[in-house]
Amino acid sequence: MKAAVVARYGPPDVVRIAEVERPSPGEGQVLVKVHATTVNRTDCAYRRAYPFFIRMVSGIVRPRRRILGTEFAGVVAAVGEGVTSFAVGDRVFGYNEGPFGTHAEYVAVRADGMIATMPEGTTFAEAAPGTEGSHYAYSFIKCAGIEAGQAVLINGATGAIGSAAVQLLKALDVTVTAVCGTANLDLVRGLGADRVIDYTAEDFTKDAQTYDVVFDAVGKSTFGRCKPLLKPGGTYVSSDLGPGWQNLVLPLATRLRGGKRVRFPFPRSGQEVVLYLRDLIADGRFRPVIDRRYPLDEIADAYRYVETGQKIGNVVIEVVPPDPPH
């Protein structure tokens, strides 16, 4: 099969297209013929081995997993021994961080992992970006204990995580204030944000309103700057470790002091997460935002674009060219 192979850590140029052996589904696995996948921040971090501690799990000198890719949408091509929850021909989508392997024509994944049948009426390209940013957003929402009726500010509402967070929060009946640039104000309003702040025109940390939760979906601010935005007992969460990795230390420090708190959530996994996301996609409450689409042969260009920091939502890799419109 054809796959995007990473033999060493480095810039996008280390990614090359090669013919490799097709995997076979083991016990409890399904083999998926991948139609679409994505390039996201997780893929970039593992390809670069940055932060450095990633090497502790990915390989000290060189990558243990030569084929990256976390998200996938495709068709079940074969099932391993003991699998009864999926059948050959099922249209499925999901998330496979750790084993990776979705930047290829086929990937073997656990049938009890983050995989589900695709929502009816959804294309492969639309389903593929439905899990990475959204499962991080879901994890932040759960960690912060956000409930209906609360007020939340999202900094970075146009990325994969932020754009998903706006929609997942609105599905919970939360009042959302979203921060983005001028060009994307209408996009973010269309996602459901109740109020939008243009960061090029004003400093969102000077906002007069206060919030139950401030969610920095791009990791470009800090608890210190956002603390005045929080209501008494409010919570700050970030998608980044912060300067000096402070977001790993502050959760304990702020808990001991009481009052306004920092939480650093770890991603939630499991089939129940992808099933929840599938239901939101199916009833129209969540629509993954797609910025650009690339064929597998141009995946290095997709990596370059993602690393500009300018992407809106998700970048999709079409492993199988889509059918032309009728």
Side-chain angles (χ1 to χ4, degrees), residues 19-98:
E19 292 288 331
V20 300
E21 185 176 354
R22 180 188 301 181
S24 298
E27 182 178 356
Q29 290 187 321
V30 297
L31 180 68
V32 178
K33 178 176 174 57
V34 179
H35 283 243
T37 179
T38 64
V39 170
N40 51 53
R41 286 169 58 181
T42 302
D43 300 316
C44 292
Y46 277 89
R47 193 210 71 237
R48 296 169 58 201
Y50 180 83
F52 187 82
F53 68 77
I54 283 178
R55 292 175 185 251
M56 299 299 106
V57 294
S58 67
I60 300 296
V61 177
R62 62 181 59 86
R64 292 193 186 99
R65 304 290 184 180
R66 297 182 47 167
I67 303 172
L68 293 176
T70 57
E71 294 184 287
F72 63 91
V75 177
V76 174
V79 297
E81 183 180 349
V83 174
T84 59
S85 51
F86 297 98
V88 172
D90 284 349
R91 290 159 55 93
V92 295
F93 77 120
Y95 188 74
N96 202 44
E97 183 177 351

Side-chain angles (χ1 to χ4, degrees), residues 41 133-134 137 140 154-169 176 178 188 191 215-218 313:
R41 286 169 58 181
S134 57
F140 298 143
I154 301 172
N155 180 37
T158 57
I161 299 175
S163 61
V166 172
Q167 297 175 79
L168 268 59
L169 287 169
V176 175
V188 174
L191 297 178
F215 175 25
D216 186 0
V218 286

Side-chain angles (χ1 to χ4, degrees), residues 250-273:
L250 286 173
L252 177 59
T254 56
R255 180 180 181 181
L256 293 174
R257 287 201 302 262
K260 300 175 181 179
R261 292 189 57 182
V262 175
R263 291 180 182 268
F264 191 75
F266 290 92
R268 294 189 175 217
S269 58
Q271 203 157 60
E272 70 278 2
V273 177

Side-chain angles (χ1 to χ4, degrees), residues 86-326:
F86 297 98
V88 172
D90 284 349
R91 290 159 55 93
V92 295
F93 77 120
Y95 188 74
N96 202 44
E97 183 177 351
F100 298 99
T102 70
H103 290 168
E105 292 180 320
Y106 291 87
V107 63
V109 300
R110 290 203 55 81
D112 60 357
M114 288 186 66
I115 178 174
T117 55
M118 285 170 48
E120 291 292 331
T122 305
T123 68
F124 295 112
E126 292 167 341
T131 55
E132 198 258 354
S134 57
H135 98 281
Y136 283 117
Y138 176 85
S139 301
F140 298 143
I141 290 168
K142 290 296 184 181
C143 179
I146 299 172
E147 299 176 345
Q150 290 188 319
V152 176
L153 180 141
I154 301 172
N155 180 37
T158 57
I161 299 175
S163 61
V166 172
Q167 297 175 79
L168 268 59
L169 287 169
K170 291 310 301 177
L172 295 174
D173 197 21
V174 170
T175 300
V176 175
T177 295
V179 181
C180 65
T182 308
N184 299 306
L185 297 176
D186 288 341
L187 168 66
V188 174
R189 290 190 186 101
L191 297 178
D194 300 280
R195 178 169 166 252
V196 182
I197 297 175
D198 182 350
Y199 72 81
T200 67
E202 58 182 302
D203 182 352
F204 79 91
T205 64
K206 307 298 184 184
D207 190 23
Q209 293 190 26
T210 55
Y211 303 89
D212 297 287
V213 176
V214 171
F215 175 25
D216 186 0
V218 286
K220 292 185 177 179
S221 193
T222 63
F223 173 59
R225 293 188 64 215
C226 294
K227 189 175 180 180
L229 296 172
L230 293 173
K231 296 178 181 180
T235 300
Y236 171 83
V237 291
S238 175
S239 65
D240 193 79
L241 296 174
W245 295 9
Q246 61 179 265
N247 291 331
L248 293 181
V249 178
L250 286 173
L252 177 59
T254 56
R255 180 180 181 181
L256 293 174
R257 287 201 302 262
K260 300 175 181 179
R261 292 189 57 182
V262 175
R263 291 180 182 268
F264 191 75
F266 290 92
R268 294 189 175 217
S269 58
Q271 203 157 60
E272 70 278 2
V273 177
V274 72
L275 289 172
Y276 174 72
L277 297 171
R278 182 190 66 182
D279 290 345
L280 292 181
I281 294 172
D283 65 18
R285 288 182 291 171
F286 172 44
R287 173 179 56 83
V289 175
I290 298 174
D291 185 340
R292 295 186 181 184
R293 306 182 188 202
Y294 294 82
L296 181 61
D297 289 344
E298 297 176 14
I299 193 170
D301 292 333
Y303 270 108
R304 292 186 191 96
Y305 178 61
V306 170
E307 292 188 346
T308 65
Q310 301 302 308
K311 77 175 177 70
I312 306 301
N314 301 272
V315 171
V316 171
I317 305 299
E318 295 177 321
V319 180
V320 175
D323 293 332
H326 296 291

